[in-house]
Amino acid sequence: MSDLPRAFGPAVMQAVLRSSAEDFQVTELPAFAPSGDGEHLLLTIEKRGQNTVQVAKWLAQWAGVGEMAVSYAGQKDRHALTVQRFSVHLPGKDSPDPASFAPEGVRVLEAARHNRKLQRGALTGNRFTLVLRQVQGERAVIQTRLEQIAARGLPNWFGEQRFGHGGGNIGQALAMFAGRRVRRDQRSILLSAARSQLFNQVLAARVAAGNWDSALEGEVWQLNGSRSVFGPEEFTSALAERLAGFDIHPSAPLWGEGELRSSGAARELEEQALADEVALRLRAGLEKAELRQERRSLRLKPDGLSWQWLGEDVLQLRFALPPGCYATALVHELGEAVDAGQAARARTPLAGNADEAVDTPAG
């Protein structure tokens, strides 16, 4: 993300992130309590050094069911210590002993029956604990930047993990749009990467202009914690109060077929930001793929943001984010952080949202 602008000025810190799994902890915030009965076994699992898809395959083998019988709310990073839910469909079957499911780096924390399959995106967010090591920068300046983020929120970037090693997913998306055949799972990843690239370009233009968290003429507003949008409409004092209170946020397009919903100055900025040759090719490919125009909030507010110095050059950050948002967006606003887990991810040609979760449907 080093090539993206920063909303609060130049970097104030250099550090190392993800030196160990414990330095990047992610816990799903569940959207519901288990019903206590039903055909599905709902499991809360802690994993270290394992990816979500692999754990799901192991669960299918353990329960003696097909892989389609196992579901999860979102994919969590392999290079982290994560806690997330899975469900296993067991119609007419007793639940296996949860204690007997114990692959390396995996343990079951809770198990209960539930009356419905766990759907993708069925969570209220993710809670993070990040430890930054070898921190260089003045403590007082770093704290001021954190206070700014706590007060104003931060740009809702898609993280670099969305784009694969070296941003290679964008080149592969262009090749796919030009006719190259790809697997179905790869197609979903590449479509998401293309949409994310276009969104980030619009957000970058608004950060550069200083209006990423304020109103433009013709703005489309997104309700906080929701995918619902409204507008454009006249910017009134009531809307200004809702914007200041983080009840609503400006938005940008997740590209697809159909007309842009924005108008006026907001639409003009979006069209100008997406007028380069690569953007036009990505737009055309997404439209041909029949994805529909949607919107994503330009701003996010970390919930309960706190920080603590664990040592002379060790900084711990704690906060929660809505589904589909990236913890590295916050780190980016502080400065440059070398990701010690990046080398391992580079060995995977196609990477999805490896930062925290593919918490929402593809896109």
Side-chain angles (χ1 to χ4, degrees), residues 16-21 23-24 26 77-80 131-133 161 328 338-342 345 354-356:
V16 175
L17 175 64
R18 221 186 303 251
S19 298
S20 68
D23 283 355
F24 200 106
V26 190
D77 192 2
R78 175 178 179 178
H79 308 287
V131 177
L132 300 169
R133 300 186 184 275
Q161 298 88 346
T328 46
V338 175
D339 189 339
Q342 191 171 31
R345 279 199 302 275
D355 186 18
E356 46 266 43

Side-chain angles (χ1 to χ4, degrees), residues 140-223:
V141 178
I142 295 172
Q143 177 163 318
T144 296
R145 179 64 55 87
L146 287 165
E147 290 169 348
Q148 289 176 308
I149 293 170
R152 285 184 58 186
L154 65 152
N156 191 18
W157 303 109
F158 281 106
E160 63 186 2
Q161 298 88 346
R162 191 81 163 194
F163 307 106
H165 179 54
N169 288 359
I170 298 303
Q172 294 191 55
L174 290 169
M176 179 180 70
F177 293 150
R180 178 186 295 173
R181 296 179 64 85
V182 300
R183 299 194 313 268
R184 184 176 180 180
D185 60 329
Q186 292 177 328
R187 181 177 184 274
S188 178
I189 290 172
L190 297 178
L191 289 174
S192 293
R195 282 184 125 187
S196 302
Q197 173 67 24
L198 297 178
F199 176 89
N200 274 7
Q201 286 187 214
V202 174
L203 179 52
R206 294 197 60 156
V207 170
N211 55 31
W212 60 277
D213 62 346
S214 58
L216 291 180
E217 176 200 3
E219 197 76 69
V220 178
W221 300 102
Q222 185 156 29
L223 297 176

